[in-house]
């Protein structure tokens, strides 16, 4: 796989209509909202989850494109599999594993690792990067006590998505024409109805920023083919993530700034400033992407703009 030679920064614009783009489990799964400004939020973890799900769907767990953090996964078991593939003995980490016998928990001092132990963990870490797309892309902390695989910093980082304008969290009462048990039916005298609530955002255009570091890509083995797959996932991920709760979601634009060098030719924040999405009519709330006018200004020399999606 060819190495990355260029730095990339990107702007992801996506929207939601009559749905909940990212519920907060600590707030009854209501849409995440900045309490001071009323702007909607979507976490970077949520966006990475959708990328992972897309890659898993497309490649079906194939070697080199398997997913490390997936539903119902047991991470230490994946580490043990990596040790087994390499024919190595699992290494342990943590105070308990490194403490001399007879010392109490939490009071033991870690013994310095032997060079051979460090080399084993490095080999397993590289194997995890090779096999799992999300480790190679986003990085991972894999220094578990059982089957230590170290940790790696990923070359691709994402920010929270934030709506361009304040959003309204709308509550709706819904009715289910059935009950779960016979006891509920008997208590209702055969009416067999249950009431519930659903919370949605009528419309919100969200903007997230991302960064791709070629120096970190070299450490994890993230190459040009992985980058192409990342762009494809960011553009198409919402088409394969439908649910009744999320309403209508879509990537509207993916604007990629390609630098001519590995270190970059302009600060990321200055590049992000040239991208604007302004409401066409401030007298009414936005309800569609067509209510916004997207513009991209001039960029400094040595930076190329690629527009994907839409």
């Amino acid at each position: 796989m060819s190495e990355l030679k260029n730095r990339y920064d990107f702007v992801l614009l996506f929207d939601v209509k009559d749905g909940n783009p990212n519920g907060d489990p600590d707030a009854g799964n209501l849409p995440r909202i900045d309490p001071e400004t009323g702007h909607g939020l979507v976490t970077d973890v949520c966006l990475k989850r959708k990328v992972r799900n897309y890659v898993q769907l497309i490649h079906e767990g194939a070697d080199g494109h398997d997913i490390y953090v997936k539903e119902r996964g047991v991470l230490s078991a994946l580490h043990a599999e990596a040790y087994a593939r390499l024919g190595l003995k699992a290494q342990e980490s943590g105070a308990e594993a490194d403490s001399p016998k007879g010392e109490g928990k939490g009071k033991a001092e870690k013994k310095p690792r032997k060079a051979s132990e460090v080399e084993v963990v490095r080999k397993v870490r590289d194997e995890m990067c090779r096999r799992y797309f999300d480790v190679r892309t986003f990085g991972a902390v894999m220094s578990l006590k059982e089957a230590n695989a170290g940790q790696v910093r990923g070359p691709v980082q994402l920010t929270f998505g934030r709506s361009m304008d304040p959003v309204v969290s709308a509550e709706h009462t819904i009715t289910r024409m059935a009950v779960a048990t016979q006891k509920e039916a008997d208590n209702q005298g055969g009416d067999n109805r249950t009431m519930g609530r659903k919370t949605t955002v009528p419309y919100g255009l969200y903007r997230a920023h991302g960064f791709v570091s070629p120096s970190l890509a070299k450490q994890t083995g993230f190459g040009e083919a992985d980058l192409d797959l990342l762009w494809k996932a960011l553009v198409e991920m919402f088409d394969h993530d439908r649910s009744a709760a999320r309403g209508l979601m879509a990537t509207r634009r993916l604007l990629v700034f390609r630098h001519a060098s590995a270190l970059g030719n302009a600060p990321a924040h200055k590049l992000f400033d040239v991208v604007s999405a302004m409401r066409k009519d401030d007298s009414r709330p936005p309800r569609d992407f067509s209510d916004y006018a997207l513009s991209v200004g001039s960029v400094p020399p040595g930076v190329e703009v690629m527009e994907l999606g839409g």
Side-chain angles (χ1 to χ4, degrees):
M1 186 182 296
S2 58
E3 292 184 2
L4 290 188
K5 303 294 185 182
N6 310 86
R7 196 186 97 188
Y8 294 85
D9 302 303
F10 59 91
V11 176
L12 175 67
L13 291 171
F14 61 95
D15 63 357
V16 59
K17 181 180 290 188
D18 298 324
N20 182 351
N22 184 203
D24 185 352
D26 286 333
N29 212 41
L30 295 175
R32 298 178 190 270
I33 293 178
D34 183 332
E36 293 186 318
T37 66
H39 288 80
L41 299 173
V42 173
T43 67
D44 59 321
V45 175
C46 174
L47 297 175
K48 290 176 181 178
R49 176 77 271 150
K50 297 182 191 307
V51 171
R52 287 183 168 103
N53 289 346
Y54 179 86
V55 174
Q56 186 174 0
L57 176 67
I58 297 301
H59 289 278
E60 300 180 335
D63 188 37
H65 289 91
D66 203 354
I67 296 300
Y68 175 64
V69 182
K70 55 189 170 187
E71 189 175 1
R72 298 186 179 91
V74 180
L75 303 182
S76 61
L78 303 182
H79 298 187
E81 291 175 5
Y83 273 95
R85 284 195 300 272
L86 296 174
L88 299 171
K89 182 180 178 181
Q91 303 291 310
E92 290 190 345
S93 66
E96 293 181 47
D98 292 332
S99 62
K101 292 183 179 179
E103 295 195 11
K105 294 182 181 179
K107 297 181 180 179
E109 293 183 1
K110 292 185 179 181
K111 295 188 297 184
R113 290 182 179 275
K114 296 179 182 178
S116 59
E117 294 176 346
V118 174
E119 181 64 17
V120 166
V121 172
R122 185 193 64 78
K123 288 180 179 179
V124 177
R125 182 198 64 197
D126 291 346
E127 168 63 12
M128 297 295 286
C129 288
R130 183 200 66 80
R131 180 172 178 85
Y132 298 104
F133 175 84
D134 54 339
V135 176
R136 198 164 60 244
T137 304
F138 303 126
V141 177
M142 302 175 289
S143 50
L144 305 179
K145 179 186 175 184
E146 299 178 14
N148 178 20
Q151 55 184 300
V152 61
R153 186 177 172 192
V156 179
Q157 301 299 329
L158 288 165
T159 68
F160 275 34
R162 176 178 288 271
S163 66
M164 304 300 297
D165 291 285
V167 297
V168 175
S169 182
E171 266 197 320
H172 315 275
T173 301
I174 56 176
T175 306
R176 182 175 69 173
M177 307 302 292
V179 292
T181 66
Q182 184 61 45
K183 182 179 179 179
E184 288 182 275
D186 294 341
N187 290 338
Q188 293 188 30
D191 186 32
N192 290 14
R193 297 187 186 193
T194 53
M195 309 296 287
R197 304 192 72 78
K198 186 174 184 177
T199 308
T200 65
V201 171
Y203 183 79
L205 176 63
Y206 291 75
R207 172 174 174 160
H209 299 144
F211 317 88
V212 183
S213 166
S215 60
L216 293 176
K218 188 179 298 184
Q219 297 178 26
T220 68
F222 183 87
E224 291 286 353
D226 291 324
L227 185 66
D228 291 339
L229 179 57
L230 174 68
W231 300 148
K232 188 176 177 65
L234 290 172
V235 171
E236 300 179 8
M237 60 187 181
F238 293 113
D239 286 328
H240 304 279
D241 189 57
R242 304 296 183 192
S243 78
R246 280 187 276 279
L248 183 60
M249 295 189 68
T251 293
R252 290 298 185 169
R253 292 290 189 279
L254 175 61
L255 296 159
V256 179
F257 298 96
R258 183 180 186 272
H259 297 255
S261 67
L263 295 178
N265 298 79
H269 69 275
K270 290 188 176 181
L271 299 178
F272 297 152
D273 286 345
V274 306
V275 180
S276 66
M278 305 297 293
R279 285 165 57 183
K280 297 177 181 178
D281 185 355
D282 289 334
S283 65
R284 60 187 182 87
R287 286 296 181 266
D288 194 86
F289 183 65
S290 61
D291 292 335
Y292 287 88
L294 178 65
S295 64
V296 182
S298 59
V299 296
V303 178
E304 173 191 0
V305 184
M306 299 183 292
E307 186 170 342
L308 308 173

